[in-house]
Amino acid sequence: MLLTLVAGVIYVGVIFVPFYVDNFAVKEAVTAAYNMAAQTTDDDSLRNTILERTSRMGNHWERDEHDRDILVPGLGLTAEQITIERSDVTPNVRIQVDYSRRVRLKPTKRIHTLNFRVVKEGVPGQ
């Protein structure tokens, strides 16, 4: 019984931990963009900062032209998944990234979707 429990914990760790490690990297990318928000009002450059940093980490599933799933590098974030809000009254900035990752539960072909939300809010530079 204990051996089965240990094997289950190892399985879950091997399958799911890389996705949560990638999420920490997304948090770092959002923090970098948030810190840049104190120097620039160009929200597109902040989005590009997040997109650049996340394009080099992890991998994600996409459908090819033959409707097959293929594994491609990067998280596959799009600009639409990155919300940047600035207050009209205060210097408050809110950056939010919503994304999901599909996990193949090996050795089966079952797919599980993990949903992530990263939010950084406040006055940059303080």
Side-chain angles (χ1 to χ4, degrees), residues 18-66:
F19 295 97
Y20 287 95
V21 170
D22 288 344
N23 190 53
F24 284 121
V26 172
K27 288 179 183 180
E28 181 211 59
V30 169
T31 299
Y34 173 81
N35 291 335
M36 289 175 51
Q39 290 91 27
T40 183
T41 59
D42 182 15
D43 291 347
D44 287 334
S45 70
L46 301 179
R47 278 187 187 87
N48 288 335
T49 297
I50 295 170
L51 292 173
E52 278 180 29
R53 287 176 176 246
T54 59
S55 69
R56 297 184 299 251
M57 66 179 73
N59 50 48
H60 67 283
W61 294 96
E62 285 185 0
R63 292 269 179 185
D64 67 2
E65 64 274 0
H66 304 291

Side-chain angles (χ1 to χ4, degrees), residues 4-22:
T4 303
L5 179 64
V6 170
V9 169
I10 291 172
Y11 173 80
V12 168
V14 168
I15 296 295
F16 290 103
V17 166
F19 295 97
Y20 287 95
V21 170
D22 288 344

Side-chain angles (χ1 to χ4, degrees), residues 99-117:
Y99 68 102
S100 60
R101 304 279 305 273
R102 291 174 34 202
V103 182
R104 182 169 164 237
L105 302 176
K106 299 175 185 175
T108 69
K109 294 192 184 275
R110 286 192 42 193
I111 301 290
H112 180 74
T113 302
L114 299 172
N115 296 306
F116 293 98
R117 172 174 283 169

Side-chain angles (χ1 to χ4, degrees), residues 30-40 46 85-95 119-126:
V30 169
T31 299
Y34 173 81
N35 291 335
M36 289 175 51
Q39 290 91 27
T40 183
L46 301 179
E85 299 171 353
R86 294 178 184 266
S87 172
D88 295 333
V89 179
T90 66
N92 193 57
V93 176
R94 183 174 200 272
I95 300 176
V119 177
K120 183 78 173 172
E121 182 175 13
V123 178
Q126 286 189 349

